[in-house]
Amino acid sequence: MATPTLEKAADTAAASPYITVTFRIRRFNPEVSDEAQWQDFQVEIDPKERVLDGLHKIKWDLDGSLTFRRSCAHGICGSDAMRINGKNRLACKTLIKDINPAKPITVEPIKGMTVLKDLVVDMEPFFQAYRDVMPFLVTSGNEPTRERLQSAEDRERFDDTTKCILCAACTSSCPVFWNDGQYFGPAAIVNAHRFIFDSRDEAGEQRLEILNDKDGVWRCRTTFNCTDACPRGIEVTKAIQEVKRALITRRY
């Protein structure tokens, strides 16, 4: 007969929520090799935890050389965007149980950008496109003596595109961007949209002219990859279409 202590230990083991999950990570270290390679890690983890938690366990307990970006870990900073099982996602918002942990979970850097090391890519071209569309309020005249008031209806016009967290999930899911890094990309257009349709702003025409460039909004092929990839649920393709429509109608 089993002793009470052994029975309790057996019950505890049976009730353990932890499972063994294989993380298959695309590794790249330019100081070691010019070629990337896949590496598997076995991790004991609760399936209700996130992919980011699994990456933390690997870095802290198995291989400290694993390199990736993360900051707030709550889906606000957008720094941990990566390809998980072939789709752009935020590692901090993706639960293990939601992506079939019975099979290896593949993790690789987002596409269309130069990989610096492991899951870290060079974001500078992405942020340059963001800066190029003038993502700030432009007004003229004297400094106001009170806040710039705006009706709820006017605010609603661009509310959706204020949600962007600059994670680059949309831009790096765009097949046009994969083949031409000069394209502004969905994120830059979304952030231009946010100010083009802001009733307080006075530089809408200037932003439209910037996006009318050969590498601008007309490169979009309306594949909806960007909308599907957005972790904030922004209707990215709709916003791009509205910018296109504004470019057409402003001439009439």
Side-chain angles (χ1 to χ4, degrees):
M1 179 180 293
T3 64
T5 301
L6 291 176
E7 288 179 346
K8 183 176 181 180
D11 290 342
T12 300
S16 174
Y18 288 82
I19 61 174
T20 300
V21 176
T22 299
F23 281 79
R24 183 163 293 163
I25 302 176
R26 190 171 179 82
R27 305 292 305 273
F28 172 68
N29 185 344
E31 297 180 358
V32 175
S33 172
D34 292 334
E35 300 293 329
Q37 61 183 358
W38 293 94
Q39 184 175 2
D40 287 1
F41 296 93
Q42 304 292 320
V43 178
E44 294 290 319
I45 193 169
D46 186 328
K48 294 190 293 295
E49 292 191 79
R50 308 160 301 172
V51 169
L52 181 61
D53 296 315
L55 295 176
H56 281 157
K57 289 178 183 291
I58 294 169
K59 184 171 181 64
W60 296 340
D61 301 332
L62 302 177
D63 186 345
S65 70
L66 178 62
T67 306
F68 56 92
R69 289 190 177 106
R70 92 285 185 263
S71 185
C72 76
H74 287 83
I76 302 300
C77 71
S79 61
D80 64 345
M82 53 191 73
R83 285 176 65 83
I84 301 172
N85 282 6
K87 295 183 179 181
N88 284 6
R89 314 173 196 248
L90 296 183
C92 64
K93 299 291 285 184
T94 305
L95 300 182
I96 300 293
K97 68 182 181 65
D98 291 339
I99 50 174
N100 191 6
K103 296 182 178 180
I105 296 174
T106 61
V107 185
E108 54 190 315
I110 52 180
K111 296 177 66 174
M113 301 181 192
T114 302
V115 180
L116 300 179
K117 186 181 179 185
D118 292 342
L119 305 176
V120 174
V121 300
D122 182 7
M123 295 285 286
E124 178 52 30
F126 170 82
F127 284 117
Q128 185 57 56
Y130 171 68
R131 291 189 289 266
D132 286 345
V133 299
M134 304 165 55
F136 43 81
L137 196 69
V138 178
T139 61
S140 60
N142 297 325
E143 182 177 326
T145 57
R146 57 184 294 183
E147 62 185 296
R148 301 182 190 277
L149 300 180
Q150 187 174 59
S151 70
E153 291 75 17
D154 284 343
R155 178 61 170 74
E156 178 66 23
R157 180 66 185 83
F158 61 92
D159 182 71
D160 194 40
T161 48
T162 65
K163 302 172 186 174
C164 178
I165 56 176
L166 297 175
C167 65
C170 64
T171 295
S172 60
S173 71
C174 175
V176 175
F177 184 80
W178 297 341
N179 293 292
D180 182 3
Q182 298 303 308
Y183 172 43
F184 274 87
I189 300 171
V190 159
N191 282 279
H193 177 287
R194 179 258 175 273
F195 290 99
I196 288 170
F197 295 101
D198 189 331
S199 60
R200 302 164 299 177
D201 185 82
E202 299 174 14
E205 283 292 324
Q206 190 173 346
R207 292 189 192 87
L208 286 172
E209 197 54 45
I210 291 170
L211 292 177
N212 199 30
D213 182 81
K214 64 182 178 64
D215 295 316
V217 71
W218 302 112
R219 296 298 307 280
C220 172
R221 294 296 178 264
T222 320
T223 63
F224 285 88
N225 282 23
C226 50
T227 299
D228 292 340
C230 180
R232 300 285 289 174
I234 300 172
E235 295 185 83
V236 181
T237 309
K238 178 183 176 182
I240 294 174
Q241 294 302 104
E242 289 179 349
V243 173
K244 287 181 178 179
R245 191 176 301 116
L247 272 167
I248 294 171
T249 58
R250 69 172 181 159
R251 301 184 185 281
Y252 295 94

